[in-house]
Amino acid sequence: MGLLAVNRIYAAITALVLAFVVLPLGAVIWVSFFANRILSFPATGYTLDWYVRAWQLDSFRNGFTTSVETALVAVALSLALGVPASLALVRYRFPGRDAIQTLLLSPMVVPGIVGGAALFMAFIELEILLDVDISGTLPGLFVAHGLIALPWTVRLVTASLVGMSPSYEEAAQSLGAGRLTTFFRVTLPIIKPGIVAAALFSFVISFIDLEKSIFLVGPGRTTLQIALVSYLEWNLDSTVAAVATVQILIIGVLLLVSDRYARLSRAF
């Protein structure tokens, strides 16, 4: 088999994989414009009414606001904890380092339902111990989503640090720069793609979380994903597709903007 034939097979496989990923997203966007009162094929017409309806529903508006607030706090918490943790794991050798790294990354492999139930029970135990309301409160939700996002920050920032030669930091320190100056003037600019990627992934993971949020939201409060599931229980129209399209648009814009100012491919 010649090189040309191999390249054609590779291109065909790549096209099939891309189609498998992109076509479902395209189908959701297409359905969001259907005029059908009950979701069905083919479309009887096209309209923007479902986007208007989604914005008019209090549950979607409030859920979107809560999800964005929670995701932003999760990003801040994960970066505040994950960047120092990654520096310690990569730059220092100490007893239990591998165990700590495994512990920090473990939420990535724990099923969402299991993690949500575990956090809920942990919050209940802390409430009994400290006599402070945690479960069902907004701060409790913030902390939980910070923990959800933390493994992504540790993973991506660690990868950036591993790919960075320590000689840059050593050269700066040999010229009289302190540790903080070295970090902010040398280390931080080099690992910026990893930090931006970590912030982006942390935001997305928190924003789309459903399983853990179900256990942790309080009365009278909801996230966008919970609002979508609740709506689907009694309705079968294109409102959910319209909300999903807006989410696809938001995440796509975040990816493009992030890649513009920090080449995300350098973080992987």
Side-chain angles (χ1 to χ4, degrees), residues 79 156-157 191-202 254 257-259 261-262 264 267:
L79 291 179
L156 291 169
V157 175
I191 66 171
K192 183 177 71 171
I195 293 177
V196 173
L200 175 63
F201 275 79
S202 297
L254 287 175
V257 172
S258 300
D259 191 59
Y261 292 101
L264 297 183

Side-chain angles (χ1 to χ4, degrees), residues 110-196:
V110 175
I113 291 292
V114 175
L119 282 171
F120 177 73
M121 290 186 287
F123 284 171
I124 295 298
E125 293 294 332
L126 285 174
E127 287 181 357
I128 296 173
L129 181 64
L130 303 176
D131 194 24
V132 176
D133 290 335
I134 303 175
S135 179
T137 65
L138 200 56
L141 185 64
F142 289 162
V143 170
H145 278 248
L147 294 176
I148 295 170
L150 182 60
W152 293 92
T153 298
V154 172
R155 178 68 184 87
L156 291 169
V157 175
T158 297
S160 294
L161 285 168
V162 168
M164 171 188 169
S165 174
S167 60
Y168 296 111
E169 298 169 320
E170 294 169 358
Q173 292 175 5
S174 69
L175 294 173
R179 290 185 179 276
L180 285 178
T181 302
T182 300
F183 174 75
F184 285 106
R185 300 292 296 274
V186 178
T187 308
L188 191 60
I190 294 176
I191 66 171
K192 183 177 71 171
I195 293 177
V196 173

